[in-house]
Amino acid sequence: MISKLVNAIKEKNAPIVVGLDPQLKFIPQQILDKWYKELGYTLDAVAEAFFEFNKGIIDSTYELIPAVKPQVAMYEQYGIPGIIAYKKTIDYAHEKGLVVIGDIKRGDIGSTSESYAIGHIGSVTIGENNIKPFDEDIVTVNPYLGSDGVNPFIDVCNKEDKGIFVLVKTSNPSSGEFQDREIDGRPLYEIVAEKVVEWGNTSMDGDYSNVGAVVGATYPEMGVILRKLMPKTYILVPGYGAQGASGKDLKGYFNEDGLGAIVNSSRGIIAAYKNEKYSRFGDEGFAEAARTATVDMINDIRENCF
């Protein structure tokens, strides 16, 4: 699967992923009003509004980008209708030829971890039918429970040609409470990175492994260290834009060939129309604002990283 993502990045010349993390405050009022009028103030109305919003973002950006990354929690909070909107978003992104990274951050042990893996990147057999329940291409995984939690995902990756991104050094301010703790004189995130390499060696797909890593853009000095520790590991880089990072912070995440990393922006793109820089587009032009913000992000990374 990682080779599919790499090829898409090369084709678009854009190592970025758009995070589809809808919130009510991001949805233009005309979309909300439409669905509230039709379905009332219900979970179903919000779910339909989310999907219409996502569809507009995808339609305006799919020619520019290799992948999208829906964050499942944004949908789960609206119950079954929200989950349906999540699945519809995955399917629509696939129709547009995009790689889908499901930001699910799952991590458990034994049959529970296996069930998460099967549900999101695997398949189930019911009678004579083989069905892919969610069918993301890649998902994020929390490694805190160790190999017992990660190996079931790798098994499914190898069986189904899928991928995972393992949390190594996250972009949030309190990540250091645990991730920076020293063990035998070394920070925990370095030890996790070495484990990611070990896991990755069991699932190589060309020059890179199907077992990638999440390393936040908000800690560029650590990104440089981790890039060296994980030369064959693809890095998913959150923290660009709204969390403060820009292109100048990202060069160290890439290998010399210009590959090795894919940078995420969520609200900086999907809510761009609310940013003063793109306010000229207005609510009606939310999708065009997202497209313009995507172009600006691509140019920023190209100018500062390559």
Side-chain angles (χ1 to χ4, degrees):
M1 176 51 65
I2 197 64
S3 63
K4 180 179 178 179
L5 178 61
V6 171
N7 289 336
I9 290 171
K10 289 178 178 178
E11 179 184 347
K12 304 288 179 66
N13 190 23
I16 72 168
V17 54
V18 173
L20 298 176
D21 304 351
Q23 300 179 44
L24 279 177
K25 63 185 178 181
F26 295 162
I27 310 301
Q29 195 61 45
Q30 74 272 10
I31 295 178
L32 290 173
D33 289 345
K34 168 188 171 182
W35 289 106
Y36 287 153
K37 181 178 180 180
E38 181 168 337
L39 298 172
Y41 290 91
T42 62
L43 298 174
D44 293 288
V46 172
E48 292 292 350
F50 277 11
F51 179 63
E52 181 174 336
F53 179 71
N54 288 347
K55 188 171 180 292
I57 299 294
I58 291 170
D59 286 345
S60 68
T61 60
Y62 77 93
E63 294 177 321
L64 302 172
I65 62 174
V68 291
K69 183 176 72 65
Q71 163 51 256
V72 72
M74 300 303 178
Y75 305 85
E76 285 181 344
Q77 66 182 317
Y78 294 100
I80 299 303
I83 290 296
I84 292 172
Y86 179 76
K87 173 58 174 167
K88 287 167 64 177
T89 296
I90 292 169
D91 292 344
Y92 190 72
H94 280 152
E95 288 177 21
K96 293 297 185 179
L98 295 169
V99 173
V100 178
I101 301 170
D103 196 352
I104 64 172
K105 295 185 177 70
R106 297 294 195 258
D108 213 303
I109 59 172
S111 60
T112 307
S113 189
E114 180 184 17
S115 295
Y116 280 137
I118 290 171
H120 284 276
I121 55 175
S123 59
V124 294
T125 300
I126 303 175
E128 297 181 354
N129 296 324
N130 188 259
I131 303 168
K132 297 180 182 296
F134 282 104
D135 199 25
E136 300 101 315
D137 299 300
I138 304 171
V139 292
T140 55
V141 174
N142 190 325
Y144 196 73
L145 277 72
S147 296
D148 290 337
V150 176
N151 283 333
F153 281 91
I154 298 174
D155 290 343
V156 174
C157 286
N158 291 338
K159 180 180 178 182
E160 304 279 355
D161 188 24
K162 300 283 189 169
I164 59 174
F165 283 113
V166 177
L167 305 183
V168 174
K169 176 57 183 173
T170 56
S171 59
N172 58 299
S174 66
S175 65
E177 290 178 358
F178 297 119
Q179 296 167 19
D180 296 0
R181 285 295 185 95
E182 290 196 357
I183 300 174
D184 296 330
R186 303 178 64 207
L188 178 59
Y189 61 78
E190 289 190 10
I191 296 170
V192 175
E194 291 180 346
K195 197 67 179 176
V196 167
V197 171
E198 179 184 324
W199 289 325
N201 287 335
T202 68
S203 188
M204 295 299 297
D205 182 22
D207 292 334
Y208 290 94
S209 170
N210 287 318
V211 181
V214 177
V215 181
T218 46
Y219 302 102
E221 69 285 353
M222 298 176 187
V224 172
I225 294 169
L226 291 168
R227 174 73 284 162
K228 292 178 181 177
L229 285 175
M230 304 182 293
K232 299 298 183 182
T233 302
Y234 233 83
I235 299 176
L236 171 63
V237 188
Y240 181 94
Q243 293 188 54
S246 63
K248 61 180 173 33
D249 302 308
L250 301 174
K251 187 175 180 62
Y253 293 78
F254 292 91
N255 283 320
E256 291 183 2
D257 59 4
L259 299 170
I262 184 166
V263 183
N264 176 77
S265 179
S266 298
R267 56 189 156 167
I269 289 178
I270 67 173
Y273 76 100
K274 290 182 171 290
N275 186 319
E276 184 178 351
K277 181 178 179 182
Y278 306 105
S279 61
R280 66 188 183 276
F281 293 101
D283 286 14
E284 295 284 348
F286 76 94
E288 189 59 32
R291 180 182 178 87
T292 304
T294 300
V295 171
D296 289 346
M297 179 181 176
I298 292 170
N299 290 335
D300 180 33
I301 292 174
R302 287 175 182 170
E303 291 170 6
N304 286 282
C305 299
F306 308 123

